[in-house]
Amino acid sequence: MRLKFKNDYSEKLRNILGDKKLTYIIDTMGCQMNENDSLKYMGILEDAGFSKTSDEKSANLILFNTCCVRENAENTLFGRLGKLKIRKQKEKNVYIVVVGCMSQQKHILDKIKKSYPFVDIILGTNSMYSFPQKLYERIVNNEKYKSFNEIDLDVIEEIPIVYDDKYKASVSIIYGCNNYCTYCIVPYVRGKERSRKLEDILEDVKTLAKKGYKEIMYIGQNVNSYGKDLEVKTNFAELLRETEKIEGIEIIRFISPHPKDFTDELIDTIANSRKIARQIHLPLQSGSTKILKLMNRKYTKEEYLNLAARISQRVKGVSFSTDIIVGFPGETDEDFEDTIDVVKKVKYDQIYMYIYSKRVGTAAEKLEDNTPYSKKVERLETLKKLNENIVGENNKLIVGKTFKVLVEGKSKTNEELYTGRTDTNKIVVFIANDEFTGKIVSVKITSEHLWFLKGEII
Ligand code: SF4
C-alpha cells in the first residue's frame, strides 16, 4: 500500500524546540540504500528543527544508520555505543538513535537492551515514518522506544529528504528483496519487494531536474525486479525510458540489478539510450555453477557469461563492475578458478570483493565450511592482483577517447584540477574553473593511472 508521510509530529517538535538550535550527526554504514535512508533521516530531523553538525562531541542527537551485511559492522556499532556511555551519564539530553538493518535483528536488539540501555530510540528498516513521533515522545515524555517488530510493508511517499550534492541524486525505486540468496540477510531485515509507483518516481526526478540536478542514480536491492509487484504493470526498462524523457536529466545510473532479471528489453533500452550510463554493475558473487547453486543465485556460470556477452554486443563501450564473495562454504580451488575465468572473460573495471562472512539467520549459516581463513585471504589477494592488471589494460584502451562528464567540482587531492566521472564510472581529472561545476562537458582522456584518468575538456 502507498501511504503519505505525516509531518504532524515534526511540527510539534519544531514548536517545542523553538529556538533551542539542537544539532544532529548521522553515522551511515553500508550500502547506497542506507545512504539514501540517511538523507531522509536528515530531511526529517531538519523538518523538525534540528540542524546538522560535523562535531559528534557537541551533537544533541547521534543517529547510527546500521548495516548487517558484514560482521565487523556490528563491532563498529558496539564500539561507538560503548564510547558514548560516559557522555550519556553526564548529559541527560543527548539522544542516541539506532536505525537500519541491524536494528531489525533480534540478537542485536537484545544486546543493545542489555549492554547499552542508554540508547533512546531503535527503529527498524521500515519504520522511518514513525521517527518524528518517537522522537517527540522521547523528548517530551521521556519515553524510550525500542522495537524491531514493525516490518511495515507499506511504501511511504513524500518523506522529506536533504540531498548532500547539488547535481547528482539517488532515488529509491524499490524496497526489500524476494531473492533469498543464502548468504544474505537483506530479505529478513528489509522485507519483501515493494516498488514505488512509476508516477511517484518520475515526479521526484522531475522535481530534482527543476532544481538543477543533472544525474540520477536509481537504487534498490534488485532494481530490475522493479514493477513486478505493482497492480499497473510496468517494468524497469519502461521506467528508464520514461526517465530519459525528463528534460534536464542528462545521466541515468542504477544499482544493483540482478543477472536473472536482466531482460533483452532492458539491454535494448540501455543500448538505445542517450542518457543511460555505459556502466553496468552485474553482481557475479561466484563463477562456479556449483557455488552459485549453493548461494541460490538462480543463474549458472554459462548463463552469466552469455548475459555479459549480449550486453557487450548491444551496448557499445560498456564497462562492467561486480561483487564477488571469496571463500563461500564449500568453495574449492576449482570453484575459485571458475571465478577467475569469469573475471578474465568479462574484464571488470571494478570488483567489490569480500571474504564470506557468516550471518546469523541465513541459510548459509548452516553450511559446512572447511576452507582455512588463510586460504580465503590468499584467494582474495589473487583476485585483487588480477583485477588491477585488468583495470590497467582496460584503461590503456581508452586513452584518446572522449566521454561525457558531469563536472563535480575541485579534485579533493589536487586543488588545481576538477573532477567528474566518465559514463563508464571512471574518475577523471582535468583543468577547468568553477563555472564548469555542475555542467556536462566532453572530456578527452590524455593519460591513465590505475584508479583515475587525466583528461582535457574539448
Ligand atoms: S539479490 Fe540476493 S544478495 Fe541482493 S539483496 Fe537480494 S538476497 Fe541479498
Side-chain angles (χ1 to χ4, degrees), residues 17 28 36 39 103 106 167 193 212 221 247 298 305 309 324 383 415 425:
L17 295 177
T28 308
N36 187 270
L39 301 178
S103 55
K106 188 172 179 315
Y167 309 107
E193 288 173 2
Q221 253 79 37
E247 215 176 301
K298 302 184 183 94
L305 282 172
I324 293 178
L383 190 57
E415 284 264 305
N425 208 27

Side-chain angles (χ1 to χ4, degrees), residues 177 179-181 183-184 186-187 221 258 297:
C177 183
N179 288 322
Y180 292 93
C181 301
Y183 53 84
C184 182
V186 165
Q221 253 79 37
H258 194 299
R297 289 292 292 173

Side-chain angles (χ1 to χ4, degrees), residues 128-350:
M128 185 190 287
Y129 68 93
S130 66
F131 183 44
Q133 183 181 349
K134 306 304 174 201
L135 191 55
Y136 177 85
E137 284 163 358
R138 171 64 188 93
I139 293 175
V140 177
N141 306 331
N142 203 19
E143 279 175 31
K144 290 200 175 185
Y145 183 77
K146 294 172 185 174
S147 167
F148 70 98
N149 289 322
E150 290 189 22
I151 268 244
D152 193 315
L153 295 179
D154 293 325
V155 171
I156 315 289
E157 292 294 345
E158 300 181 33
I159 296 181
I161 186 161
V162 172
Y163 282 106
D164 51 1
D165 190 295
K166 285 202 286 196
Y167 309 107
K168 359 185 247 182
S170 61
V171 177
S172 306
I173 61 165
I174 181 168
Y175 304 104
C177 183
N178 292 352
N179 288 322
Y180 292 93
C181 301
T182 57
Y183 53 84
C184 182
I185 195 75
V186 165
Y188 305 95
V189 295
R190 290 211 172 243
K192 289 203 196 85
E193 288 173 2
R194 285 103 62 211
S195 302
R196 296 179 63 202
K197 285 187 176 174
L198 189 84
E199 56 268 32
D200 288 335
I201 299 169
L202 295 175
E203 207 42 55
D204 278 0
V205 178
K206 281 178 198 161
T207 307
L208 287 165
K210 277 188 201 134
K211 288 181 180 165
Y213 285 83
K214 299 280 191 322
E215 177 178 320
I216 59 130
M217 163 91 89
Y218 280 144
I219 59 169
Q221 253 79 37
N222 188 7
V223 281
N224 49 345
S225 191
Y226 173 77
K228 285 182 187 167
D229 57 312
L230 290 174
E231 266 171 44
V232 178
K233 283 297 157 212
T234 180
N235 61 28
F236 185 53
E238 185 180 21
L239 172 64
L240 291 177
R241 289 194 297 272
E242 290 303 310
T243 311
E244 177 108 14
K245 295 177 192 162
I246 298 176
E247 215 176 301
I249 297 299
E250 292 296 333
I251 300 173
I252 304 167
R253 300 185 191 272
F254 57 85
I255 195 164
S256 285
H258 194 299
K260 77 173 169 53
D261 296 314
F262 222 108
T263 60
D264 284 334
E265 182 190 358
L266 178 55
I267 299 174
D268 284 341
T269 299
I270 299 168
N272 296 332
S273 166
R274 178 179 77 70
K275 296 183 177 178
I276 303 171
R278 268 39 193 160
Q279 192 260 339
I280 291 175
H281 186 75
L282 201 60
L284 170 67
Q285 309 304 2
S286 169
S288 154
T289 297
K290 179 193 99 188
I291 296 295
L292 287 169
K293 194 153 194 278
L294 284 174
M295 289 176 163
N296 191 30
R297 289 292 292 173
K298 302 184 183 94
Y299 51 84
T300 63
K301 174 187 178 187
E302 289 67 34
E303 284 164 348
Y304 182 97
L305 282 172
N306 183 291
L307 172 63
R310 278 186 290 131
I311 296 173
S312 296
Q313 272 162 15
R314 292 285 291 121
V315 184
K316 296 295 167 219
V318 70
S319 154
F320 289 105
S321 60
T322 197
D323 301 318
I324 293 178
I325 296 171
V326 170
F328 188 78
E331 185 188 73
T332 61
D333 285 342
E334 292 71 40
D335 295 318
F336 182 64
E337 277 309 313
D338 274 332
T339 299
I340 293 291
D341 186 44
V342 176
V343 170
K344 285 182 180 165
K345 285 180 172 139
V346 181
K347 297 186 183 354
Y348 301 101
D349 271 315
Q350 191 160 23

